[in-house]
Amino acid sequence: MRGSMLSAQDLLPLLHGYQMESRRLRDGITEIPTPDTLTIPLPGAEESYTRLAGEGAEVAKGQVLSAPKYAALAHAPAAGFVEAVEFREIPSCGQVWTARLRVEGSQAVQARPVRGETEAERVLRAAADAGIVDEMTGRPLYQELYRLRRREVSLLLACGIEDDPWCSSACAVLREQGEQVLEGLRLAAAFCGAKETGLAVSPPELRALRGSLPAARIERAPARYPARAFLLRRLRAAGTAAGLLGPQALAALAAAMQGEPQTHGVVTVFGDGVRTPRNLRFPCGAPLSSLLASCGVREEASLFYVGPACQGHTVTDPDTPIPLHARCITVLLHPQKRRRMTCIGCGRCASVCPQGILPWQIHESLHREKVDPFLLLNVQSCIGCAACTAVCPSGLPLSAEVARAAAIRKSGDFF
């Protein structure tokens, strides 16, 4: 396989020009065979004492591999031996410690139901002990639950909103594990104090989910990116404090109450570089090559992009491990990079920003001899959707510049 380093503004025009004939996949979820070797990310495990299984250790399926203080626990998706513990780059995780597991045997840790004084305590303990990651944010579910509780949300929604029109992993989980997702949603709402629950769904999925989950409240998402941010803003304007959680995380929360850790994720593999686009259930740390093999990757494929088009990462190594919260892998044949030009002042970046930021103004300010703090308006509220980068006709990395401006404003170093 070959790889070409592209960013969001390079990828999106290619996908816009590439007509996805089948649009979102309507088929089910295919479980891939467990590869012989898994490279499991251990985020937050910088201190050696948080890495619980060293080189040569024999581990059972479901055994805890790392227990960091501020990140999710990592569990072994299969039984085997730890060949190495090493530091490496993982898409959307950055440079983290990993455990390379040689899969052997089938011994599993016995699942034990979570107990506690109140249901809220049991829910939080289950989310933390199971190492559940919210696939919509990439953060541990227990941290998301705490955040939503502090916000005092009144409406909690399982998020079936896809960032990309060709991705369908969230909706596939809702279709196949709907009842389990709703049970996890009920548990999460009990902890957060939300009095109402429901589903947040993109327009193409409304009919299918109304048929499979007729009793659930459904909030229709707007047909523009970033749909999640615009939906929350619309509900807030109507006087409803709403929160969103990923359906994979919610289904895992329901299973966690019986003592089962989260070890598998669901991802959509799509693009003209594969023969059979599919939704795949994969063990955490499976190499990219094993997922592509299940979809029939073409030899001439030259772009492998892990994550949503606006926020993902180009991958060149076929052995790159895929983390739990990867929801989309795009494989394309013939990428063509766009040229980067100077800002033309069109204002498109400001028109698509859901937070009212003026990225073009921030770009101009950062390229002056002295940064004017009064021009770095509202930069701290950036949600990192990268919509400004995607629409910029000059190909400027505006989302990165807004993030840089936020760091400058926080530090106070304007010189």
Side-chain angles (χ1 to χ4, degrees):
M1 290 191 299
R2 298 167 308 190
S4 177
M5 298 301 292
L6 273 79
S7 57
Q9 67 264 34
D10 301 313
L11 179 68
L12 284 171
L14 295 168
L15 294 171
H16 182 71
Y18 166 51
Q19 298 299 319
M20 306 287 186
E21 290 88 356
S22 58
R23 293 181 294 276
R24 289 214 176 110
L25 301 174
R26 294 291 191 262
D27 60 351
I29 301 172
T30 302
E31 184 157 357
I32 69 168
T34 302
D36 293 336
T37 301
L38 299 171
T39 304
I40 303 153
L42 309 176
E46 286 78 17
E47 293 83 4
S48 59
Y49 67 86
T50 63
R51 302 191 291 274
L52 306 182
E55 186 174 335
E58 182 179 1
V59 298
K61 180 180 179 181
Q63 182 174 327
V64 178
L65 300 178
S66 69
K69 188 173 182 180
Y70 298 111
L73 274 66
H75 297 79
F81 295 87
V82 178
E83 291 186 330
V85 178
E86 54 194 1
F87 205 59
R88 65 175 298 173
E89 181 80 20
I90 304 292
S92 73
C93 294
Q95 291 281 346
V96 297
W97 284 97
T98 63
R100 192 168 73 241
L101 180 69
R102 179 71 178 179
V103 177
E104 293 181 13
S106 58
Q107 180 185 3
V109 175
Q110 184 177 2
R112 284 184 265 179
V114 179
R115 305 187 183 280
E117 295 181 2
T118 66
E119 185 175 56
E121 290 177 346
R122 292 197 301 273
V123 167
L124 192 66
R125 184 178 295 115
D129 290 349
I132 303 174
V133 177
D134 181 13
E135 70 272 19
M136 295 296 164
T137 63
R139 293 192 289 266
L141 178 62
Y142 77 89
Q143 293 182 4
E144 291 296 291
L145 292 174
Y146 261 130
R147 181 180 66 84
L148 294 172
R149 184 170 181 169
R150 289 196 302 268
R151 283 182 50 205
E152 299 182 345
V153 295
S154 58
L155 172 62
L156 192 61
L157 300 169
C159 184
I161 303 170
E162 307 287 6
D163 291 318
D164 304 324
W166 53 91
C167 181
S168 61
S169 55
C171 293
V173 172
L174 285 173
R175 289 194 300 267
E176 291 208 355
Q177 299 177 266
E179 295 302 324
Q180 195 171 7
V181 171
L182 292 181
E183 172 60 14
L185 185 63
R186 183 193 69 79
L187 294 167
F191 176 81
C192 298
K195 294 183 170 47
E196 296 181 274
T197 60
L199 310 177
V201 182
S202 303
E205 299 292 340
L206 281 174
R207 182 179 298 179
L209 290 177
R210 276 178 177 153
S212 60
L213 299 170
R217 169 178 174 174
I218 294 183
E219 288 289 339
R220 179 187 176 117
R224 62 178 297 195
Y225 178 84
R228 283 179 282 168
F230 285 116
L231 173 63
L232 292 176
R233 189 168 74 175
R234 186 188 77 199
L235 292 170
R236 186 165 59 246
T240 302
L244 299 171
L245 290 173
Q248 291 186 49
L250 291 170
L253 179 60
M257 295 298 284
Q258 302 305 317
E260 297 181 20
Q262 185 186 30
T263 58
H264 287 65
V266 177
V267 65
T268 301
V269 181
F270 211 93
D272 61 1
V274 293
R275 295 179 175 86
T276 309
R278 282 179 174 157
N279 291 309
L280 301 176
R281 179 171 280 110
F282 66 98
C284 179
L288 174 64
S289 57
S290 66
L291 278 73
L292 297 180
S294 298
C295 299
V297 63
R298 300 180 188 276
E299 290 184 4
E300 61 271 30
S302 58
L303 171 63
F304 309 95
Y305 199 80
V306 179
C310 286
Q311 300 165 296
H313 302 267
T314 302
V315 170
T316 58
D317 182 2
D319 292 327
T320 298
I322 305 302
L324 280 175
H325 55 278
R327 293 181 291 120
C328 183
I329 297 175
T330 306
V331 185
L332 295 180
L333 293 177
H334 304 296
Q336 296 177 354
K337 295 195 71 173
R338 290 166 59 192
R339 294 181 179 178
R340 183 173 295 178
M341 303 179 293
T342 58
C343 177
I344 61 175
C346 65
R348 290 184 187 178
C349 54
S351 67
V352 300
C353 180
Q355 300 298 94
I357 301 172
L358 302 176
W360 63 268
Q361 182 174 277
I362 293 165
H363 169 78
E364 288 187 354
S365 178
L366 291 180
H367 286 80
R368 293 177 180 176
E369 187 174 338
K370 178 181 177 182
V371 178
D372 186 348
F374 294 103
L375 295 180
L376 306 185
L377 299 174
N378 210 22
V379 290
Q380 303 290 66
S381 66
C382 176
I383 61 174
C385 67
C388 54
T389 298
V391 302
C392 179
S394 297
L396 299 174
L398 295 175
S399 58
E401 293 193 339
V402 173
R404 179 184 159 210
I408 291 173
R409 190 171 184 87
K410 184 176 181 179
S411 67
D413 184 11
F414 298 103
F415 298 95

